[in-house]
Amino acid sequence: MTQSLITDQAAVLVDPDENRGGTGTTRFVLTKIAEALASILLVIVLGFLLFRLLPGDPVAFMVRERPTDPAQIAELRERLGIDKPVLTQFWDYFTGLFRGDFGESYIERRPVLDMIGERLWPTVLLVGSATVLAVAIGLWLGIRAAWKRNSFFDRAQTGIALTLWSVPQFWLGLLLLVATGGLFPSRGMHSPDAAPGVLPQTLDVLHHLVLPCVTLLVVFYAQYMLVMRSSLLGEMDADYLTTARAKGLRDDLVRRRHAVPNALLPTVTLVFMQFGMVVSGAVTVEAVFSWPGLGQLTYDAIHGPDLPVLQGVLVVLASAVVLMNLFAELLYRVLDPRVRTA
Amino acid sequence: MAILPLAGTAAAQQPAQPKVLRVALTTGIDHLNPFTASLAASTQVGRFIYEFLTIPSADKAEASPALAESWTTSPDKLTWTFKIRQGVKWSDGQPVTAKDAAYTFNRMLTDETARTANGNYVTNFQSVAAPDDTTLVIKTKAVQATMDLLDVPIVPEHIWAQIKDLNDPKTDDLSVVGVSDGPYQLTEYKQNEYVKFTANTAYWRGAPKVDELQLLVFKDVEAAVNALKQGEVDVINRLTPTQFDALKGQPNIATNQAPGRRYNEININFGVEDVNNKPIGNGNPVLKDLALRQAIAQSIDTKTIVDKVMGGYGQLGGGVIPPIYSAYHWDPAPAEARKFDLAAANKTLDDAGYLKGNDGIRVAPGGARLELRLTGHANRAFDQRTAQYVAGWLQQIGISVKQELVSDEELNDRTTAGNYDLAISGYATNPDPDYALALHTCAARPNTEGKGATTDTFFCDPAYDGFYKQQLTDTDPVTRAGYVKQAQARLYSQAVNVVLDYDNSLEAYRSDKFSGFQTQPQPQGSILEQTGYWGVYGAVPAGTQTAAADAGGSNTVLWIVLGVVVVVVLVGGGIMIGRRGKAADDRE
């Protein structure tokens, strides 16, 4: 995805309109926003159709193993609106989205938006903190590894990163749970026994955050490290570095002032893409640690299957990915003058 | 001298550490609102906080007094009069009266949403009234056998009458569900995380011996097992045989293997029809032959399935009511029981004219080869292994089986539409046999659009329906049980399904911290997910509880974590500052 994004940028680069000063940028931004909106719209339509094509009668599923009479079943169908023609259902769903109505969960029978809303913050906290740490550690290790190319440090770090990247997250999570032997809580985000007050409550959440965050971090950092490493390796033979060295700059400084900023671009893009895909990365970790986030909601909804929830999660996540992509593209333009002024 | 009384006060002000019982919850909670709460864990919450008119007793799971001290029926069995207990109070101090019970049922009769969870109990109600504070009169349209065990939590009228819309999120709040009269009172609810209760010291049966009850949500049973070992939780259920075996013999942990409420079965598509007797689905027509179905049933070794697939944690199958409900459970008499016997099955098929072809697969008299599809849940280990065994056995009697394990939805679709030959299925049953029996009546079959089905087997048989109706309208426990057993015998004789086994429910608890969990039924029942509150209500903490040590421990850990974070930040910051200094020196 990083790759396609850069090619996309190259296409913009040769756009003749680009040279018309300020309007070029405005036009670029507007085009990108329009594209993003179109993508979200497409997701909504496809999502709706996809879930209608799936086999299964949701009502039959909801009442399975529960005593119900036909009148109750008819009421349910009416309440869920699935007794109407598909086109009407789509229109209801589509207009509902604009009113913030994402439908009602089949299983919990609550508004989907409420359910997504209360799960969003835990996921942002978990994936956000893991990402920030993973970026910091990944970049640092990546830079070191590339700079000492083919050294023992480089080979060891690359090997470790590749191994950790391929470790199944749930397995790693369980391993950490058993290994830490009760030092950290094994479930949830809050302890029912935590003392009231802001400080104890915050510490309590941090305490709960440690294991899931470390699990995600261990798996996440690898890609940042590897991308940073390869990207820096690409810069290492560039002429400007030779120039910098020729000026008598210390190696350390050549790296930090000259090579790293240039090599950072693909990584910045990657960070934003990852932020968009937060949940997909957290599904198994949230399940292992019973972390009350979006990943767990998705996991439960798939098991249901709770179609309105899945549909809502799809729209929210796809929108997040699209928006983060948009943001990355715009930021790329700010960060890299070569893209801005053709 | 003046100091002494002060010291006394200080000691009195330091209350003993509360005795906390922590239960691992591995299923979700949808609502706390007892009218809409449908998931197993949510109904459990309702049982802890609300009293019922009657509840299934701990020893036999039969109707026993709760809010109603006693009850009588009219000679025509259409009018039921409940005598409501006096002196019981809601947690806000208001008295619990017959009017609260009348309000609860009338709300269910007039409000569609109020019927979400337990609507089936009131559909046959004519009227509900409370002529005075201690009398509740329910009139039914037809005789209803479930009247002495209405599984409906009674709510306080003065709280719920103010709520117009029962879908209001407020109905899951403490302001509403916090007012209760059960053994425990809800004090905190963090959606998707935990529910916290305190003991109701004014509970009419007497206060629970545990001060606080916590239900902690675990999404991963493996993580929950680990938490039990480390003392983070005290009780856990829904263990797999492997997890159960691993916990056996662990120090400070006791295990409880209880007969379960669930039956596993293989359904045989005997030529299923919708509610208007129109054939549906694409089942293999050869299965219309009872002799063939009997031979198939005879070729399934349920003992092997219990021993090998269930790891021994199941009971052999008979009728559709599990042995935990001993009054209604039915096992075939030795003479009529189908014993696992491949030779006899082969002989039956030979005699019935199903001749073996060159490839060993039999051909029906009409020329159809005996090739059957066996469908089940792709994601369930039980189905995977059972399918393999069954395919092997049927191969030996000349029937080829194609295993088609599919997703839950796909399976649901196939079985509802009758698109199967053999299907692995199963249901959890209730203490009242009505529900398990209703799954096999003609009326439970789907309508012409394939909707509205509540059937399990698609069975439709006048004799069976006759027994079903008689048990439904007979309020004498003994004769009713007779009809219930006859219905099961009739179902068995037609070989439309083979009940493989009844799963055990596998539980474990910290024996060093708690004892006295009252199982239901006794002596061998389960602790959690009862149709009552006995298990958790009976828990007795062992001597001095370790909650104090736990709390201290977790605080210590908190400070360690905080310390590590501070050290990392300081050291990291120091290094950064050092580097910045160096960099400044090197500036061009």
mmCIF file of all heavy atoms in Angstrom, chain B residues 212-244:
data_model
loop_
_atom_site.group_PDB
_atom_site.id
_atom_site.type_symbol
_atom_site.label_atom_id
_atom_site.label_comp_id
_atom_site.label_asym_id
_atom_site.label_seq_id
_atom_site.Cartn_x
_atom_site.Cartn_y
_atom_site.Cartn_z
ATOM 1 N N GLU B 212 -19.268 -9.446 48.930
ATOM 2 C CA GLU B 212 -19.292 -8.844 47.608
ATOM 3 C C GLU B 212 -19.155 -9.930 46.557
ATOM 4 O O GLU B 212 -18.432 -10.904 46.753
ATOM 5 C CB GLU B 212 -18.125 -7.855 47.503
ATOM 6 C CG GLU B 212 -18.224 -6.924 46.317
ATOM 7 C CD GLU B 212 -17.092 -5.896 46.328
ATOM 8 O OE1 GLU B 212 -16.991 -5.151 47.324
ATOM 9 O OE2 GLU B 212 -16.337 -5.858 45.368
ATOM 10 N N LEU B 213 -19.845 -9.733 45.456
ATOM 11 C CA LEU B 213 -19.795 -10.687 44.352
ATOM 12 C C LEU B 213 -19.357 -9.922 43.106
ATOM 13 O O LEU B 213 -19.859 -8.828 42.839
ATOM 14 C CB LEU B 213 -21.187 -11.300 44.151
ATOM 15 C CG LEU B 213 -21.406 -12.176 42.921
ATOM 16 C CD1 LEU B 213 -20.610 -13.463 43.024
ATOM 17 C CD2 LEU B 213 -22.895 -12.499 42.762
ATOM 18 N N GLN B 214 -18.399 -10.479 42.375
ATOM 19 C CA GLN B 214 -17.965 -9.830 41.144
ATOM 20 C C GLN B 214 -18.043 -10.829 40.000
ATOM 21 O O GLN B 214 -17.577 -11.953 40.128
ATOM 22 C CB GLN B 214 -16.514 -9.343 41.265
ATOM 23 C CG GLN B 214 -16.310 -8.308 42.341
ATOM 24 C CD GLN B 214 -14.839 -7.953 42.519
ATOM 25 O OE1 GLN B 214 -13.963 -8.520 41.874
ATOM 26 N NE2 GLN B 214 -14.579 -7.003 43.399
ATOM 27 N N LEU B 215 -18.638 -10.409 38.895
ATOM 28 C CA LEU B 215 -18.612 -11.220 37.677
ATOM 29 C C LEU B 215 -17.629 -10.542 36.738
ATOM 30 O O LEU B 215 -17.841 -9.405 36.338
ATOM 31 C CB LEU B 215 -19.989 -11.286 37.016
ATOM 32 C CG LEU B 215 -21.165 -11.747 37.872
ATOM 33 C CD1 LEU B 215 -22.425 -11.826 37.015
ATOM 34 C CD2 LEU B 215 -20.882 -13.114 38.480
ATOM 35 N N LEU B 216 -16.529 -11.212 36.423
ATOM 36 C CA LEU B 216 -15.485 -10.612 35.610
ATOM 37 C C LEU B 216 -15.505 -11.222 34.208
ATOM 38 O O LEU B 216 -15.442 -12.441 34.058
ATOM 39 C CB LEU B 216 -14.118 -10.859 36.247
ATOM 40 C CG LEU B 216 -13.993 -10.395 37.702
ATOM 41 C CD1 LEU B 216 -12.690 -10.872 38.311
ATOM 42 C CD2 LEU B 216 -14.082 -8.886 37.765
ATOM 43 N N VAL B 217 -15.597 -10.360 33.208
ATOM 44 C CA VAL B 217 -15.712 -10.844 31.829
ATOM 45 C C VAL B 217 -14.357 -11.340 31.314
ATOM 46 O O VAL B 217 -13.361 -10.628 31.376
ATOM 47 C CB VAL B 217 -16.234 -9.720 30.915
ATOM 48 C CG1 VAL B 217 -16.185 -10.146 29.450
ATOM 49 C CG2 VAL B 217 -17.648 -9.335 31.317
ATOM 50 N N PHE B 218 -14.331 -12.570 30.858
ATOM 51 C CA PHE B 218 -13.162 -13.132 30.189
ATOM 52 C C PHE B 218 -13.587 -13.547 28.794
ATOM 53 O O PHE B 218 -14.510 -14.331 28.643
ATOM 54 C CB PHE B 218 -12.639 -14.359 30.932
ATOM 55 C CG PHE B 218 -11.794 -14.047 32.126
ATOM 56 C CD1 PHE B 218 -12.377 -13.823 33.357
ATOM 57 C CD2 PHE B 218 -10.413 -13.968 32.010
ATOM 58 C CE1 PHE B 218 -11.596 -13.531 34.462
ATOM 59 C CE2 PHE B 218 -9.628 -13.678 33.105
ATOM 60 C CZ PHE B 218 -10.210 -13.450 34.345
ATOM 61 N N LYS B 219 -12.899 -13.035 27.794
ATOM 62 C CA LYS B 219 -13.251 -13.413 26.424
ATOM 63 C C LYS B 219 -12.571 -14.714 26.053
ATOM 64 O O LYS B 219 -12.955 -15.381 25.111
ATOM 65 C CB LYS B 219 -12.804 -12.312 25.454
ATOM 66 C CG LYS B 219 -13.740 -11.144 25.424
ATOM 67 C CD LYS B 219 -15.038 -11.559 24.783
ATOM 68 C CE LYS B 219 -16.155 -10.673 25.273
ATOM 69 N NZ LYS B 219 -17.452 -11.083 24.782
ATOM 70 N N ASP B 220 -11.518 -15.056 26.794
ATOM 71 C CA ASP B 220 -10.708 -16.200 26.436
ATOM 72 C C ASP B 220 -10.703 -17.165 27.622
ATOM 73 O O ASP B 220 -10.229 -16.817 28.703
ATOM 74 C CB ASP B 220 -9.297 -15.695 26.125
ATOM 75 C CG ASP B 220 -8.404 -16.783 25.570
ATOM 76 O OD1 ASP B 220 -8.055 -17.716 26.321
ATOM 77 O OD2 ASP B 220 -8.061 -16.692 24.391
ATOM 78 N N VAL B 221 -11.250 -18.360 27.434
ATOM 79 C CA VAL B 221 -11.366 -19.294 28.560
ATOM 80 C C VAL B 221 -9.983 -19.703 29.055
ATOM 81 O O VAL B 221 -9.769 -19.912 30.245
ATOM 82 C CB VAL B 221 -12.189 -20.540 28.153
ATOM 83 C CG1 VAL B 221 -12.462 -21.406 29.360
ATOM 84 C CG2 VAL B 221 -13.504 -20.130 27.533
ATOM 85 N N GLU B 222 -9.033 -19.788 28.139
ATOM 86 C CA GLU B 222 -7.669 -20.161 28.526
ATOM 87 C C GLU B 222 -7.090 -19.120 29.495
ATOM 88 O O GLU B 222 -6.474 -19.469 30.502
ATOM 89 C CB GLU B 222 -6.810 -20.244 27.258
ATOM 90 C CG GLU B 222 -5.675 -21.237 27.318
ATOM 91 C CD GLU B 222 -6.148 -22.669 27.490
ATOM 92 O OE1 GLU B 222 -6.868 -23.190 26.618
ATOM 93 O OE2 GLU B 222 -5.800 -23.253 28.517
ATOM 94 N N ALA B 223 -7.341 -17.849 29.198
ATOM 95 C CA ALA B 223 -6.876 -16.776 30.089
ATOM 96 C C ALA B 223 -7.599 -16.871 31.434
ATOM 97 O O ALA B 223 -7.011 -16.616 32.488
ATOM 98 C CB ALA B 223 -7.107 -15.420 29.442
ATOM 99 N N ALA B 224 -8.858 -17.253 31.404
ATOM 100 C CA ALA B 224 -9.626 -17.381 32.645
ATOM 101 C C ALA B 224 -9.092 -18.529 33.498
ATOM 102 O O ALA B 224 -9.018 -18.426 34.725
ATOM 103 C CB ALA B 224 -11.097 -17.602 32.316
ATOM 104 N N VAL B 225 -8.716 -19.622 32.852
ATOM 105 C CA VAL B 225 -8.144 -20.753 33.589
ATOM 106 C C VAL B 225 -6.860 -20.317 34.278
ATOM 107 O O VAL B 225 -6.614 -20.615 35.450
ATOM 108 C CB VAL B 225 -7.872 -21.939 32.624
ATOM 109 C CG1 VAL B 225 -7.042 -23.008 33.309
ATOM 110 C CG2 VAL B 225 -9.174 -22.526 32.118
ATOM 111 N N ASN B 226 -6.060 -19.561 33.546
ATOM 112 C CA ASN B 226 -4.819 -19.028 34.109
ATOM 113 C C ASN B 226 -5.121 -18.128 35.312
ATOM 114 O O ASN B 226 -4.432 -18.176 36.329
ATOM 115 C CB ASN B 226 -4.087 -18.255 33.002
ATOM 116 C CG ASN B 226 -2.706 -17.828 33.433
ATOM 117 O OD1 ASN B 226 -1.917 -18.644 33.878
ATOM 118 N ND2 ASN B 226 -2.426 -16.549 33.333
ATOM 119 N N ALA B 227 -6.173 -17.320 35.182
ATOM 120 C CA ALA B 227 -6.552 -16.412 36.273
ATOM 121 C C ALA B 227 -6.995 -17.196 37.510
ATOM 122 O O ALA B 227 -6.730 -16.784 38.635
ATOM 123 C CB ALA B 227 -7.659 -15.479 35.804
ATOM 124 N N LEU B 228 -7.656 -18.339 37.295
ATOM 125 C CA LEU B 228 -8.071 -19.167 38.434
ATOM 126 C C LEU B 228 -6.841 -19.719 39.152
ATOM 127 O O LEU B 228 -6.747 -19.697 40.373
ATOM 128 C CB LEU B 228 -8.960 -20.323 37.957
ATOM 129 C CG LEU B 228 -9.432 -21.266 39.060
ATOM 130 C CD1 LEU B 228 -10.628 -20.671 39.796
ATOM 131 C CD2 LEU B 228 -9.812 -22.639 38.520
ATOM 132 N N LYS B 229 -5.879 -20.191 38.364
ATOM 133 C CA LYS B 229 -4.655 -20.745 38.959
ATOM 134 C C LYS B 229 -3.940 -19.683 39.768
ATOM 135 O O LYS B 229 -3.342 -19.981 40.800
ATOM 136 C CB LYS B 229 -3.721 -21.239 37.844
ATOM 137 C CG LYS B 229 -4.159 -22.546 37.224
ATOM 138 C CD LYS B 229 -3.063 -23.028 36.290
ATOM 139 C CE LYS B 229 -3.550 -24.084 35.325
ATOM 140 N NZ LYS B 229 -2.727 -24.145 34.118
ATOM 141 N N GLN B 230 -3.974 -18.451 39.282
ATOM 142 C CA GLN B 230 -3.242 -17.394 39.973
ATOM 143 C C GLN B 230 -4.082 -16.671 41.025
ATOM 144 O O GLN B 230 -3.643 -15.679 41.584
ATOM 145 C CB GLN B 230 -2.702 -16.412 38.938
ATOM 146 C CG GLN B 230 -1.559 -17.062 38.175
ATOM 147 C CD GLN B 230 -1.158 -16.314 36.946
ATOM 148 O OE1 GLN B 230 -1.776 -15.321 36.593
ATOM 149 N NE2 GLN B 230 -0.136 -16.782 36.286
ATOM 150 N N GLY B 231 -5.286 -17.160 41.241
ATOM 151 C CA GLY B 231 -6.112 -16.603 42.310
ATOM 152 C C GLY B 231 -6.792 -15.295 41.953
ATOM 153 O O GLY B 231 -7.312 -14.601 42.813
ATOM 154 N N GLU B 232 -6.808 -14.967 40.670
ATOM 155 C CA GLU B 232 -7.473 -13.734 40.258
ATOM 156 C C GLU B 232 -8.989 -13.919 40.234
ATOM 157 O O GLU B 232 -9.729 -12.963 40.408
ATOM 158 C CB GLU B 232 -6.969 -13.371 38.863
ATOM 159 C CG GLU B 232 -6.605 -11.929 38.675
ATOM 160 C CD GLU B 232 -6.109 -11.691 37.261
ATOM 161 O OE1 GLU B 232 -5.164 -12.392 36.831
ATOM 162 O OE2 GLU B 232 -6.666 -10.823 36.576
ATOM 163 N N VAL B 233 -9.433 -15.132 39.970
ATOM 164 C CA VAL B 233 -10.856 -15.451 40.078
ATOM 165 C C VAL B 233 -11.024 -16.690 40.955
ATOM 166 O O VAL B 233 -10.068 -17.435 41.169
ATOM 167 C CB VAL B 233 -11.536 -15.706 38.710
ATOM 168 C CG1 VAL B 233 -11.603 -14.441 37.891
ATOM 169 C CG2 VAL B 233 -10.841 -16.811 37.958
ATOM 170 N N ASP B 234 -12.245 -16.886 41.449
ATOM 171 C CA ASP B 234 -12.496 -17.989 42.377
ATOM 172 C C ASP B 234 -13.308 -19.125 41.770
ATOM 173 O O ASP B 234 -13.183 -20.265 42.194
ATOM 174 C CB ASP B 234 -13.214 -17.457 43.619
ATOM 175 C CG ASP B 234 -12.453 -16.317 44.264
ATOM 176 O OD1 ASP B 234 -11.241 -16.489 44.498
ATOM 177 O OD2 ASP B 234 -13.042 -15.255 44.495
ATOM 178 N N VAL B 235 -14.171 -18.812 40.806
ATOM 179 C CA VAL B 235 -15.005 -19.850 40.200
ATOM 180 C C VAL B 235 -15.020 -19.664 38.691
ATOM 181 O O VAL B 235 -15.018 -18.546 38.187
ATOM 182 C CB VAL B 235 -16.480 -19.779 40.679
ATOM 183 C CG1 VAL B 235 -17.201 -21.084 40.378
ATOM 184 C CG2 VAL B 235 -16.570 -19.465 42.142
ATOM 185 N N ILE B 236 -15.068 -20.779 37.970
ATOM 186 C CA ILE B 236 -15.092 -20.717 36.515
ATOM 187 C C ILE B 236 -15.918 -21.889 36.012
ATOM 188 O O ILE B 236 -15.955 -22.945 36.642
ATOM 189 C CB ILE B 236 -13.640 -20.755 35.979
ATOM 190 C CG1 ILE B 236 -13.612 -20.687 34.460
ATOM 191 C CG2 ILE B 236 -12.891 -21.972 36.437
ATOM 192 C CD1 ILE B 236 -12.194 -20.577 33.932
ATOM 193 N N ASN B 237 -16.623 -21.700 34.896
ATOM 194 C CA ASN B 237 -17.360 -22.821 34.313
ATOM 195 C C ASN B 237 -17.126 -22.849 32.809
ATOM 196 O O ASN B 237 -16.261 -22.153 32.303
ATOM 197 C CB ASN B 237 -18.852 -22.734 34.661
ATOM 198 C CG ASN B 237 -19.550 -21.605 33.939
ATOM 199 O OD1 ASN B 237 -18.927 -20.653 33.491
ATOM 200 N ND2 ASN B 237 -20.853 -21.699 33.834
ATOM 201 N N ARG B 238 -17.880 -23.699 32.115
ATOM 202 C CA ARG B 238 -17.729 -23.869 30.667
ATOM 203 C C ARG B 238 -16.307 -24.264 30.275
ATOM 204 O O ARG B 238 -15.754 -23.755 29.293
ATOM 205 C CB ARG B 238 -18.138 -22.590 29.926
ATOM 206 C CG ARG B 238 -19.598 -22.250 30.150
ATOM 207 C CD ARG B 238 -20.102 -21.295 29.099
ATOM 208 N NE ARG B 238 -21.513 -21.020 29.297
ATOM 209 C CZ ARG B 238 -22.373 -20.765 28.336
ATOM 210 N NH1 ARG B 238 -21.978 -20.738 27.094
ATOM 211 N NH2 ARG B 238 -23.631 -20.526 28.594
ATOM 212 N N LEU B 239 -15.698 -25.130 31.065
ATOM 213 C CA LEU B 239 -14.356 -25.599 30.722
ATOM 214 C C LEU B 239 -14.444 -26.685 29.662
ATOM 215 O O LEU B 239 -15.429 -27.416 29.587
ATOM 216 C CB LEU B 239 -13.676 -26.169 31.969
ATOM 217 C CG LEU B 239 -13.411 -25.165 33.087
ATOM 218 C CD1 LEU B 239 -13.059 -25.900 34.375
ATOM 219 C CD2 LEU B 239 -12.288 -24.227 32.693
ATOM 220 N N THR B 240 -13.410 -26.800 28.852
ATOM 221 C CA THR B 240 -13.339 -27.922 27.918
ATOM 222 C C THR B 240 -12.788 -29.127 28.683
ATOM 223 O O THR B 240 -12.148 -28.956 29.722
ATOM 224 C CB THR B 240 -12.385 -27.613 26.752
ATOM 225 O OG1 THR B 240 -11.059 -27.480 27.279
ATOM 226 C CG2 THR B 240 -12.778 -26.330 26.039
ATOM 227 N N PRO B 241 -13.031 -30.358 28.173
ATOM 228 C CA PRO B 241 -12.496 -31.534 28.873
ATOM 229 C C PRO B 241 -10.986 -31.416 29.110
ATOM 230 O O PRO B 241 -10.495 -31.780 30.181
ATOM 231 C CB PRO B 241 -12.829 -32.682 27.917
ATOM 232 C CG PRO B 241 -14.077 -32.239 27.225
ATOM 233 C CD PRO B 241 -13.921 -30.752 27.064
ATOM 234 N N THR B 242 -10.254 -30.877 28.145
ATOM 235 C CA THR B 242 -8.798 -30.750 28.296
ATOM 236 C C THR B 242 -8.451 -29.805 29.446
ATOM 237 O O THR B 242 -7.600 -30.119 30.286
ATOM 238 C CB THR B 242 -8.186 -30.195 26.987
ATOM 239 O OG1 THR B 242 -8.833 -30.806 25.896
ATOM 240 C CG2 THR B 242 -6.707 -30.430 26.941
ATOM 241 N N GLN B 243 -9.129 -28.656 29.490
ATOM 242 C CA GLN B 243 -8.860 -27.701 30.561
ATOM 243 C C GLN B 243 -9.244 -28.291 31.914
ATOM 244 O O GLN B 243 -8.533 -28.133 32.902
ATOM 245 C CB GLN B 243 -9.660 -26.409 30.325
ATOM 246 C CG GLN B 243 -9.153 -25.603 29.146
ATOM 247 C CD GLN B 243 -10.163 -24.571 28.688
ATOM 248 O OE1 GLN B 243 -11.351 -24.670 28.985
ATOM 249 N NE2 GLN B 243 -9.692 -23.589 27.945
ATOM 250 N N PHE B 244 -10.366 -29.009 31.920
ATOM 251 C CA PHE B 244 -10.862 -29.610 33.157
ATOM 252 C C PHE B 244 -9.845 -30.630 33.686
ATOM 253 O O PHE B 244 -9.495 -30.622 34.860
ATOM 254 C CB PHE B 244 -12.215 -30.264 32.885
ATOM 255 C CG PHE B 244 -12.927 -30.744 34.107
ATOM 256 C CD1 PHE B 244 -13.559 -29.843 34.949
ATOM 257 C CD2 PHE B 244 -12.987 -32.095 34.418
ATOM 258 C CE1 PHE B 244 -14.237 -30.279 36.073
ATOM 259 C CE2 PHE B 244 -13.660 -32.536 35.541
ATOM 260 C CZ PHE B 244 -14.292 -31.621 36.364
#
